[in-house]
Amino acid sequence: MFIDRVIIEVRSGKGGDGAIAFRREKYVPKGGPSGGNGGRGASIYLRANKTINTLFNFRHSKTIIGEDGEKGGSKNQYGKYAIDVYVDVPVGTVVYLEEGKRFLVDLDRDGKTFKVAKGGRGGRGNTCFKSPTNRAPKIAENGEPGERKRLILELKLLADVGVVGLPSVGKSTLLSVISSARPEIADYPFTTIIPNLGVVYHKNKSFVVADLPGLIKGAHQGRGLGLQFLRHIERCRLIIHVVDMGENGRDPIEDYETIVDELNQYGLGLIKRRMIVVASKMDEEGADKKLDILQKHLKNTKIIPISSLSDEGIDELLDECIKLLDEIPLTPLYEVEDDETKVYTLDDEKEFVILHPEAHRFVISGDKIIKYYKMTNISTDEGMMKLLSHFRHIGIDDELERMGAKNGDTVEICDFVFDYVE
């Protein structure tokens, strides 16, 4: 089954917690702290694999979970790192964050790998907190939480040339003539329900052609197989637009304008792609008359008449494809921003937000402060003091006072609840 769009969830592993331990050995007085650091959690990578041609494997396995890192041990033993998870996807898979459909990566070549969820850093053991003023620290960090994301995977075929047109205009027959591909061919609409790829060899040159599901009016809104078709043409540098000249009562001008309008409505610059207009089924009666009508409508456009049954015009079409492909540069599907350049805003500087949902209740939120809380081991008095001291340092106490908090009011952060004291 050909599946070219799925939504999956990835969860990287949490880092292992740091240990609180002290060296206790015979004849070694005052051994000092010996708690080791936790191990890093598993990261999750997507990797392009040319041996896979569909996203079918994700039809049922839609959640990918990385293992947590091991906890640190005594005697300064570090926790074991979790093994990273590599997930193979077809070459040509484009990855987005589901929220806002923000582009992440285009896996457009075999072996290209991208980290979609970073494993959490292991927490520091109490050895790391030893200082001249605190020789026996009873404090350690919890492991950094892993990342949790919902991703959209879309397969967009890697083809140089896309063959478009209304249903049953001869696209699949053309592909079978110019390549070794054997798409299903029949005399009813929507015979092609999945894209077919074929490699064309002509005059010591080669290129990849995609026969794409037929369009109908409204395809850009999802009617028929429109969106499935249009997704795959985004990569094509050149478009072959097939218009039927056969004995079927169709108006070639109306057919041509329908396809052009759908390409324009879909956007992404498809209408600006170089296009070869092909008049198909020229072996049928009345085809010459229809060709004249279309040529008068497209005064400055070259139309190549062909017959897939008699091979008429096939060489001319392939010559034109090679000529234009030599002229059209390879361009990336998406422009990727420089990862090293980041524009900082006021939102980036805000470490916390305090909500006041009801009387005598305050809720602390914000990615930075929640991450800090989760990485603080509050099972010891020193850990608890470290957390509360951090709250005071970043201004949470001042903000609660400004919002009118009184003695005994409840303050919450995640699952931790405490009473406010003025």
Side-chain angles (χ1 to χ4, degrees), residues 391-403:
F391 283 0
R392 189 177 305 109
H393 175 71
I394 64 175
I396 288 180
D397 286 3
D398 293 339
E399 182 66 10
L400 286 170
E401 182 179 354
R402 188 192 67 78
M403 295 177 69

Side-chain angles (χ1 to χ4, degrees), residues 29 149 189 192 263 275 277-278 289 314 332 334 361 369:
K149 299 177 182 177
T192 302
L263 294 178
M275 181 184 292
V277 181
V278 171
K289 184 176 179 181
I314 297 298
Y334 294 91
R361 178 169 173 251
I369 190 61

Side-chain angles (χ1 to χ4, degrees), residues 133-303:
T133 58
N134 189 358
R135 300 296 184 89
K138 296 179 181 179
I139 184 173
E141 283 182 337
N142 294 329
E144 181 182 19
E147 296 181 330
R148 181 172 181 169
K149 299 177 182 177
R150 285 180 61 83
L151 306 175
I152 300 173
L153 307 185
E154 287 187 353
L155 174 58
K156 301 183 181 184
L157 295 179
L158 297 171
D160 301 299
V161 180
V163 184
V164 307
L166 291 168
S168 301
V169 296
K171 302 185 301 297
S172 297
T173 305
L174 174 61
L175 180 65
S176 68
V177 169
I178 63 178
S179 73
S180 298
R182 291 294 174 262
E184 185 177 350
I185 300 171
D187 59 352
Y188 53 83
F190 296 111
T191 308
T192 302
I193 59 175
I194 63 172
N196 293 297
L197 287 178
V199 181
V200 177
Y201 298 95
H202 184 68
K203 296 184 178 178
N204 296 323
K205 293 199 174 183
S206 65
F207 55 91
V208 179
V209 178
D211 161 33
L212 300 155
L215 284 174
I216 60 174
K217 190 171 183 178
H220 69 281
Q221 298 174 327
R223 293 188 62 196
L225 298 172
L227 290 179
Q228 182 172 347
F229 152 80
L230 290 165
R231 183 180 305 132
H232 295 288
I233 202 175
E234 289 178 24
R235 292 189 187 274
C236 298
R237 293 187 287 151
L238 178 63
I239 296 174
I240 295 178
H241 183 172
V242 181
V243 184
D244 192 347
M245 301 289 124
E247 301 177 89
N248 50 23
R250 281 179 170 173
D251 180 349
I253 295 177
E254 183 180 340
D255 288 359
Y256 173 84
E257 294 297 342
T258 296
I259 298 299
V260 169
D261 183 61
E262 291 305 318
L263 294 178
N264 187 39
Q265 293 290 338
Y266 185 71
L268 295 180
L270 295 187
I271 195 64
K272 297 179 181 178
R273 305 282 170 90
R274 299 290 292 273
M275 181 184 292
I276 300 174
V277 181
V278 171
S280 68
K281 304 182 183 180
M282 290 302 297
D283 53 286
E284 295 190 16
E285 187 176 347
D288 290 333
K289 184 176 179 181
K290 283 190 172 184
L291 177 58
D292 290 339
I293 294 173
L294 183 61
Q295 188 65 76
K296 289 178 182 178
H297 179 68
L298 304 175
K299 296 178 182 179
N300 300 320
T301 302
K302 179 181 178 182
I303 302 176

Side-chain angles (χ1 to χ4, degrees), residues 9-80:
E9 183 173 300
V10 292
R11 304 176 195 167
S12 59
K14 170 184 172 295
D17 297 340
I20 299 176
F22 294 90
R23 186 179 179 188
R24 293 183 175 88
E25 296 180 26
K26 194 174 182 181
Y27 309 120
V28 183
K30 300 180 181 179
S34 65
N37 298 346
R40 178 178 53 79
S43 297
I44 298 176
Y45 294 83
L46 295 183
R47 178 173 56 196
N49 188 332
K50 65 181 180 181
T51 64
I52 302 174
N53 55 20
T54 176
L55 295 170
F56 178 79
N57 291 339
F58 298 97
R59 188 184 181 193
H60 301 296
S61 301
K62 293 191 175 182
T63 303
I64 301 162
I65 302 174
E67 293 185 353
D68 296 340
E70 287 190 358
K71 296 180 179 180
S74 59
K75 299 182 181 179
N76 291 317
Q77 292 178 332
Y78 279 44
K80 184 178 179 182

